[in-house]
């Protein structure tokens, strides 16, 4: 059974969420048959670089044949590139264009790039190269000047949430279809629910939280959703926290209040509760640093969405506006704490020691 990220990978430009400028240029090239000899797709992991390359390759060849995909991380030497150069001299048997998609191309050695330079500059007839990378700074300038570059943007929270909602709706349609529903039943998102057949329910806050965690990566968001669905068909904030092992910011707020008020017992109890719940305390400190940073961004900007915090936390955070300097001090201490425990296996005592110090020492 395919995971959701594979199952719902876009196959046409229409399916791709966002990236409107890139799509428009590529669609125009397909319409006019004015293709470049080499393309470079740049972007963070999971934003759709390889997907766009595959869609473009399919469109160029009118759905005939398949592009030749090469993993640049494991085929990064001069000999590997020479094989590609020798192979590209032969015409494609099942399509007009012979298209190579080289993923993680920043892993190619300088020697490999030097070998590739000539064939990029003067490729054999009907041969096209498509490169995908997260690190364009590692690609030689001589290559960058000879490719058509596309910078793939990170996805907005709204776009990710919309895609997750679409996927859940499609999954519920499939549930209805598999339960024997007709076309009208499949079109009714509540049909299976009315029949007592378990379907996927979700809170929008839960999807927003997943989108924020993904930090602009569509694939990461869908992969996380897949994990949550495997844990619970009712997708709530609670089920997301549990399935992904992430931190409920209510606990962060509780700890912050205790530290600012020098309430050692509440602070230690909070750490103990997290430990007894089986939480990864090292991950909690990392999450807590994100929480402190996000809260300060909210205080500075007044925009809860810009800070990537859920709107339902806004009321709980308002009282922290008056203790901005305390938050800055806490952030400084916990950044140092995370650095010191990063390679430790048993971190609970380190965290408790830091909590006791913060609550005991004067701010002066």
């Amino acid at each position: 059974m395919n995971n959701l990220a594979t199952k719902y990978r876009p196959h046409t430009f229409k399916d791709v969420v966002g990236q409107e400028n890139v799509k428009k240029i590529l669609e125009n090239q397909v319409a006019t048959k004015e293709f470049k000899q080499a393309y470079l797709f740049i972007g963070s992991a999971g934003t759709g670089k390889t997907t766009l390359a595959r869609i473009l390759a399919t469109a160029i060849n009118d759905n005939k044949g398949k592009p030749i995909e090469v993993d640049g991380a494991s085929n990064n030497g001069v000999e590997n590139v020479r094989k590609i150069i020798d192979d590209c001299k032969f015409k494609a048997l099942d399509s007009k264009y012979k298209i190579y998609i080289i993923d993680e191309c920043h892993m190619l050695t300088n020697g490999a790039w030097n070998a590739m330079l000539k064939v990029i500059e003067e490729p054999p007839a009907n041969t096209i190269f498509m490169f995908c990378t997260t690190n364009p700074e590692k690609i030689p300038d001589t290559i960058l000047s000879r490719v058509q570059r596309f910078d793939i943007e990170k996805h907005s929270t709204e776009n990710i949430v919309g895609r997750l909602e679409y996927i859940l709706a499609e999954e519920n349609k499939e549930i209805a279809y598999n339960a024997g529903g007709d076309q009208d039943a499949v079109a009714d998102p509540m049909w299976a629910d009315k029949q007592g057949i378990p379907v996927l329910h979700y809170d929008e806050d839960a999807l927003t939280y997943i989108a924020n965690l993904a930090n602009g990566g569509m694939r990461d968001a869908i992969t996380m959703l897949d994990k949550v669905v495997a844990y619970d068909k009712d997708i709530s904030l609670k089920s997301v926290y549990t399935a992904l092992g992430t931190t409920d910011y209510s606990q962060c707020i509780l700890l912050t209040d205790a530290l600012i008020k020098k309430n050692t017992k509440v602070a230690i109890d909070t750490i103990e509760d997290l430990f007894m719940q089986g939480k990864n305390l090292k991950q909690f400190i990392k999450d807590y640093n994100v929480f402190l940073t996000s809260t300060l961004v909210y205080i500075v900007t007044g925009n809860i969405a810009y800070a990537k915090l859920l709107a339902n936390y806004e009321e709980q955070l308002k009282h922290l506006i008056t203790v901005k300097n305390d938050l800055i001090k806490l952030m400084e201490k916990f950044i140092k704490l995370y650095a010191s425990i990063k390679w430790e296996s048993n971190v609970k005592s380190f965290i408790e020691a830091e909590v006791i110090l913060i609550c005991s020492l004067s701010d002066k």
Side-chain angles (χ1 to χ4, degrees):
M1 180 179 175
N2 285 340
N3 58 42
L4 294 180
T6 302
K7 185 176 180 180
Y8 290 97
R9 182 190 288 271
H11 295 290
T12 67
F13 288 119
K14 184 179 179 181
D15 296 334
V16 175
V17 176
Q19 318 302 340
E20 299 303 327
N21 292 338
V22 175
K23 287 193 295 184
K24 184 173 182 179
I25 294 170
L26 296 179
E27 286 175 321
N28 286 342
Q29 289 186 7
V30 171
T32 59
K33 305 292 184 184
E34 294 179 356
F35 309 123
K36 307 304 176 183
Q37 75 274 9
Y39 295 85
L40 176 62
F41 295 93
I42 298 169
S44 302
T47 51
K49 304 179 298 297
T50 308
T51 294
L52 276 167
R54 288 173 178 170
I55 292 171
L56 177 59
T58 300
I60 287 173
N61 276 325
D62 294 323
N63 295 306
K64 296 174 183 176
K66 289 184 177 180
I68 301 166
E69 297 198 26
V70 179
D71 176 19
S74 55
N75 299 277
N76 61 356
V78 175
E79 288 303 316
N80 301 115
V81 170
R82 283 176 179 164
K83 288 179 182 178
I84 294 173
I85 293 170
D86 290 339
D87 179 69
C88 75
K89 296 174 184 176
F90 299 98
K91 187 179 182 300
L93 298 176
D94 54 2
S95 58
K96 180 177 180 180
Y97 291 90
K98 198 165 195 176
I99 301 175
Y100 293 85
I101 297 177
I102 303 177
D103 209 356
E104 305 296 336
C105 68
H106 59 274
M107 299 294 287
L108 295 182
T109 64
N110 286 333
W113 279 121
N114 288 334
M116 181 73 77
L117 182 59
K118 184 66 175 176
V119 76
I120 291 177
E121 197 167 32
E122 298 177 10
N126 295 340
T127 299
I128 296 174
F129 291 95
M130 298 182 185
F131 301 97
C132 303
T133 182
T134 56
N135 300 97
E137 67 277 2
K138 294 184 179 181
I139 300 174
D141 291 340
T142 51
I143 299 295
L144 292 175
S145 64
R146 288 167 171 81
V147 298
Q148 185 167 82
R149 170 175 174 160
F150 292 97
D151 290 275
I152 310 304
E153 298 176 349
K154 285 190 174 187
H155 294 277
S156 67
T157 297
E158 292 75 15
N159 280 348
I160 293 176
V161 170
R163 187 63 176 175
L164 297 185
E165 289 177 333
Y166 167 80
I167 288 171
L168 291 171
E170 291 299 303
E171 288 295 293
N172 280 338
K173 287 180 183 180
E174 189 172 305
I175 290 171
Y177 176 80
N178 291 337
D182 56 20
Q183 286 187 344
D184 290 336
V186 171
D188 179 4
M190 299 304 295
W191 179 85
D193 203 25
K194 293 171 186 174
Q195 306 303 311
I197 301 167
V199 296
L200 300 173
H201 296 276
Y202 66 88
D203 295 333
E204 189 165 334
D205 278 347
L207 300 189
T208 301
Y209 181 74
I210 291 173
N212 287 342
L213 283 180
N215 194 30
M218 185 68 77
R219 184 182 62 222
D220 289 348
I222 297 172
T223 300
M224 285 188 276
L225 176 66
D226 205 352
K227 188 175 181 181
V228 175
V229 168
Y231 171 75
D232 194 345
K233 304 299 182 188
D234 186 8
I235 304 164
S236 63
L237 276 172
K238 182 179 179 180
S239 64
V240 172
Y241 294 143
T242 305
L244 301 182
T246 52
T247 302
D248 181 350
Y249 279 176
S250 295
Q251 294 171 307
C252 294
I253 295 171
L254 180 64
L255 178 61
T256 303
D257 286 339
L259 293 173
I260 290 174
K261 295 174 182 177
K262 308 293 187 182
N263 192 329
T264 310
K265 184 179 184 307
V266 172
I268 292 294
D269 284 346
T270 303
I271 301 301
E272 184 65 25
D273 288 344
L274 290 166
F275 180 74
M276 295 307 294
Q277 291 168 23
K279 297 290 185 182
N280 182 326
L281 292 183
K282 194 181 298 184
Q283 181 63 43
F284 169 73
I285 296 302
K286 184 177 181 180
D287 291 344
Y288 187 59
N289 280 322
V290 172
F291 164 77
L292 290 173
T293 303
S294 299
T295 301
L296 284 164
V297 170
Y298 164 62
I299 290 172
V300 170
T301 66
N303 190 326
I304 197 86
Y306 186 70
K308 291 191 176 297
L309 291 167
L310 297 176
N312 62 345
Y313 286 117
E314 187 164 16
E315 197 61 38
Q316 300 178 60
L317 292 172
K318 282 183 177 178
H319 72 285
L320 295 177
I321 294 174
T322 60
V323 290
K324 176 183 171 183
N325 290 337
D326 291 319
L327 294 177
I328 292 172
K329 291 175 183 177
L330 285 178
M331 182 172 66
E332 182 180 13
K333 291 179 184 296
F334 277 92
I335 287 174
K336 290 179 180 177
L337 175 62
Y338 181 72
S340 69
I341 66 174
K342 195 170 184 180
W343 308 111
E344 295 290 338
S345 56
N346 183 9
V347 301
K348 185 169 181 281
S349 59
F350 287 87
I351 297 171
E352 288 172 334
E354 185 65 34
V355 164
I356 292 170
L357 284 171
I358 290 172
C359 291
S360 301
L361 296 178
S362 171
D363 288 332
K364 294 181 181 179

